Amino acid sequence: MTYKVAIAGATGYAGGEILRLLLNHPAYASGDLEIGALTGHSNAGQSVAELMPHLPQLADRTIVDTTVENLAGHDVVFLGLPHGHSGPIAKALGEDVVVIDCAADFRLKDAQEWEDFYGSEHAGTWPYGIPELPGHREQLQGSKRVAVPGCFPTTMTLGALPAVAGKLIEPDLTIIAVTGVSGAGKKASVPLLGAETMGSVKAYSPGGTHRHTPEVIQNLNPLAEAPVNVSFTPVLAPMPRGILATITAPLKEGITQEEVTKVFTEFYADEPFCHVLPVGQQPQTQNVVGTNMCHIQAHVDERARKLVITSALDNLTKGTGGAAVQCMNLSLGFAETAGLPLAAVAP
């Protein structure tokens, strides 16, 4: 069977990353996956050659308007749209179409949390696209609806998960996460201009006000002994891609570095996209750029009796587009790793 795939919001950073990965997917090479409609409301009528010259295989294609009519007739539809736009489109496409949403519309289970952080009516909840969370891979296999997680929650969840599940820490997390400017999307914005970001680092949405905070708590709570508390502050850095999160939490009595290393290594032993670094080696964003990998390290601070976890990933790959393709693979029955790079470019 040949699966026909459409991308709504194809000219955005998330849509472009999904296309980059699909063009290198073995199913695309074999003819089992066909790239159909590429939509982008503000860019309709323009060519891919003009808008995304890094995708020469699609240079002769034209962007069409984001309408249900243009997206209909596909087996898989990726939605790379602003928050709040996915629900009506998904409903109109019907239940037989695999819809993979890269926005936040269907991530949260708690309707009140959605309304508090996003200020609109809750659209519902879909299977959540972090396969590495216990029980989630099974939910995603064959699913016709997938909510791709936020890039910050993926970084923080994968970093903290072994410590919370392994009962290594008290579930009181302080998180600082540094991100590249592409996390804000491909839009004209003065704070994201080169002149505003180069040579400067800036914190924003501090201490629990960022929209991704409830998503992290939702992910970790089912595995914790007590309700998880998260104080999260993001930091904007002058780089195109990448997230580096530092997660600090009180260490339980008697826990040693050897035990922490063992728990983290064993937890991710069978996960192809989670790499626990040796003791003394720290994650770097340059080592995950363009890959679907998350690099993780956990360090015991003996003096303060804290566990300091660092995790790094590419916000556009494992943080968005790669996660979307990984979930598509699970939905359609392809190998989960198909089309997803493990190795970065160096230097």
Side-chain angles (χ1 to χ4, degrees), residues 54-65:
H54 67 294
L55 304 176
Q57 302 98 311
L58 301 172
D60 61 344
R61 302 286 295 277
T62 300
I63 303 299
V64 298
D65 199 7

Side-chain angles (χ1 to χ4, degrees), residues 210-224:
H210 194 280
R211 289 173 167 181
H212 286 170
T213 302
E215 204 174 322
V216 180
I217 294 171
Q218 175 179 281
N219 293 344
L220 297 177
N221 259 340
L223 300 163

Side-chain angles (χ1 to χ4, degrees), residues 195-210:
E196 302 291 331
T197 57
M198 288 188 295
S200 180
V201 177
K202 179 182 73 172
Y204 64 99
S205 300
T209 61
H210 194 280

Side-chain angles (χ1 to χ4, degrees), residues 296-327:
I296 302 165
Q297 178 56 274
H299 169 74
V300 171
D301 183 339
E302 293 284 3
R303 284 179 174 271
R305 291 307 297 165
K306 304 270 189 172
L307 185 61
V308 181
I309 305 162
T310 43
S311 56
L313 54 72
D314 185 328
N315 56 292
L316 293 181
T317 316
K318 182 56 173 167
T320 310
V325 173
Q326 186 178 352
C327 291

